[in-house]
Amino acid sequence: MHFVRIILTQLDGNRRFLVYNSLMKSITTWDYSLDSETRRLLHTAHLIAIGFYRVNQFLVLPYSYKAHDASIVTFPDLPYLTIHNFWKEVQHITVGQFPLHIKESLLQSTKTLVENAHIQKPQSDTIQKIWQRAEPAILDGIYSLVPNKKGTIQKIIIHPTSFGSTCSFNIITHNINYIELYLQEGLGVATITEALISSLTREDVFEKLGGLWQESELLADWLVTQSSLAQIVKHYDNTNTFSPTIKGIRNKEQPQLTLDSEQFYKKLGIPTGTPPFSLTSDTPTLYAHPIQNLTDTETRILNLFIQKALVLSKRSSYACKHVCYFYCYHMLFRHPQFLIYCSNFNR
């Protein structure tokens, strides 16, 4: 006998039944370990160190700060400077896909810090049970929006975590058919769904549409909250913890939290005044690495933005300076050499 679960929902203005076999095998596995949490920390540290969070207006705060806000990245306050050149080392981590490829000495040293900190294991029993019920409906809803992707996701690996951004994930490509993601404690089906959509569509947004990171995020935010998929998400997620990424980083003026974040950067040992971009003999550099394969026009424009940002840095014009850095990053994001790299800036 086949047991079925019938969900009545509203899709594109027409009532229809979504029928799922309750015995359908889940493609999701959940994994938490000291190793996964250490890798999560190093991934977050990498994005802090290269300036991605700062340029895109995320606030980095101690992980004791509990708020399900897409604009806030929480991070453990550990003695990172006891690891030789920690902040320089994490800049060089390759963030192509999960699991990250990390130098073994850095991984083990950081793992010792995490272990000694006795970071509490995130609670995920509830969301695991909810996601087990929701998974077939969510995947069906996603594939109904992008039918050419149907069946693309062969495996989902979810690592519950106590810190970082709300969710980070790898990108589905022509030769990658799994999604591995980190889910912050307390978040639900909507956040997982947003990650799946972002992963599934980001390569197309970048390579076929010439889009940027923020445009990819905005697409996913809209699909989760405004499309036919939103009704399915609401059926399983009534926690009100989902925070659309772009709305979160653009709409909030939080002067005290901004100040707290700047102080936290200093405490972590990251000089807040260190510019990510600079010029060496008229050659643009990103963290002292020459930026190559640009056209003459691209080089001139990039140099102008860098020069303007450096001038504004001396004047302590925080907002204008970061607008310049924002455009520097996004110039690179449009360059073919950087498309794959920037596609993995996954918060």
Side-chain angles (χ1 to χ4, degrees):
M1 178 181 294
H2 292 283
F3 297 93
V4 297
R5 175 159 42 90
I6 301 177
I7 303 169
L8 183 62
T9 188
Q10 186 87 13
L11 295 178
D12 299 327
N14 299 313
R15 284 185 176 274
R16 70 183 180 94
F17 288 95
L18 301 178
V19 182
Y20 303 103
N21 190 327
S22 64
L23 300 180
M24 181 183 295
K25 184 178 180 181
S26 172
I27 63 171
T28 301
T29 58
W30 294 76
D31 171 71
Y32 174 84
S33 65
L34 175 61
D35 184 77
S36 71
E37 198 74 317
T38 302
R39 290 175 180 274
R40 172 56 164 173
L41 184 147
L42 288 169
H43 176 258
T44 306
H46 169 80
L47 295 179
I48 291 173
I50 67 169
F52 175 79
Y53 289 135
R54 186 190 296 280
V55 168
N56 285 287
Q57 308 302 311
F58 289 91
L59 299 176
V60 178
L61 295 166
Y63 99 105
S64 56
Y65 184 88
K66 301 296 182 183
H68 300 130
D69 187 324
S71 68
I72 292 174
V73 176
T74 58
F75 193 67
D77 183 6
L78 304 181
Y80 301 106
L81 298 185
T82 61
I83 299 176
H84 183 63
N85 287 332
F86 177 83
W87 291 109
K88 289 185 179 180
E89 290 286 341
V90 296
Q91 288 178 20
H92 301 297
I93 293 174
T94 301
V95 292
Q97 292 287 354
F98 291 144
L100 300 178
H101 296 288
I102 303 168
K103 189 164 69 173
E104 187 63 23
S105 59
L106 177 62
L107 179 63
Q108 294 305 321
S109 298
T110 308
K111 188 177 292 185
T112 299
L113 288 186
V114 175
E115 186 174 25
N116 292 340
H118 303 292
I119 294 173
Q120 187 173 0
K121 179 181 178 180
Q123 298 300 310
S124 62
D125 291 347
T126 299
I127 181 56
Q128 287 190 41
K129 292 175 182 177
I130 295 173
W131 178 249
Q132 186 175 17
R133 298 195 303 271
E135 179 192 303
I138 294 297
L139 289 177
D140 182 84
I142 291 173
Y143 289 141
S144 71
L145 295 173
V146 281
N148 63 315
K149 302 289 187 181
K150 187 174 179 64
T152 298
I153 305 172
Q154 295 294 304
K155 181 169 64 173
I156 301 169
I157 304 168
I158 302 179
H159 303 287
T161 182
S162 296
F163 47 82
S165 60
T166 53
C167 192
S168 299
F169 47 87
N170 71 310
I171 309 301
I172 286 282
T173 65
H174 66 281
N175 59 353
I176 300 292
N177 62 5
Y178 67 90
I179 298 177
E180 186 170 353
L181 64 91
Y182 285 87
L183 180 69
Q184 194 181 101
E185 181 180 19
L187 295 173
V189 168
T191 304
I192 298 174
T193 304
E194 191 262 356
L196 299 184
I197 291 174
S198 296
S199 176
L200 199 60
T201 60
R202 182 158 296 177
E203 185 178 48
D204 285 349
V205 170
F206 282 10
E207 295 191 358
K208 296 181 180 179
L209 302 178
L212 307 175
W213 173 81
Q214 293 202 5
E215 292 161 347
S216 171
E217 289 289 333
L218 190 61
L219 170 64
D221 289 345
W222 188 88
L223 290 174
V224 171
T225 61
Q226 304 300 318
S227 75
S228 56
L229 183 62
Q231 296 301 316
I232 303 175
V233 171
K234 288 178 182 177
H235 180 84
Y236 293 101
D237 191 339
N238 59 2
T239 61
N240 295 318
T241 58
F242 179 69
S243 173
T245 303
I246 300 305
K247 182 179 180 181
I249 63 177
R250 288 182 179 173
N251 286 355
K252 295 187 178 179
E253 295 184 5
Q254 305 178 90
Q256 185 56 54
L257 289 182
T258 300
L259 180 60
D260 291 345
S261 182
E262 291 300 309
Q263 293 299 322
F264 189 46
Y265 269 97
K266 293 178 181 177
K267 187 175 183 182
L268 290 173
I270 306 172
T272 56
T274 301
F277 292 91
S278 60
L279 294 173
T280 302
S281 300
D282 292 328
T283 298
T285 63
L286 178 59
Y287 288 102
H289 295 284
I291 301 171
Q292 301 174 340
N293 298 327
L294 298 175
T295 66
D296 290 342
T297 300
E298 288 171 333
T299 299
R300 285 197 301 271
I301 295 173
L302 187 58
N303 284 0
L304 287 173
F305 277 125
I306 293 173
Q307 289 168 357
K308 188 66 174 178
L310 294 175
V311 170
L312 292 170
S313 294
K314 295 178 181 178
R315 297 177 183 173
S316 299
S317 181
Y318 179 86
C320 293
K321 173 182 65 178
H322 283 89
V323 167
C324 290
Y325 287 150
F326 174 86
Y327 281 109
C328 288
Y329 274 110
H330 282 229
M331 269 196 65
L332 298 185
F333 286 176
R334 288 193 180 276
H335 195 272
Q337 180 186 1
F338 292 89
L339 283 177
I340 294 177
Y341 178 68
C342 73
S343 72
N344 298 295
F345 279 170
N346 43 26
R347 293 176 290 135

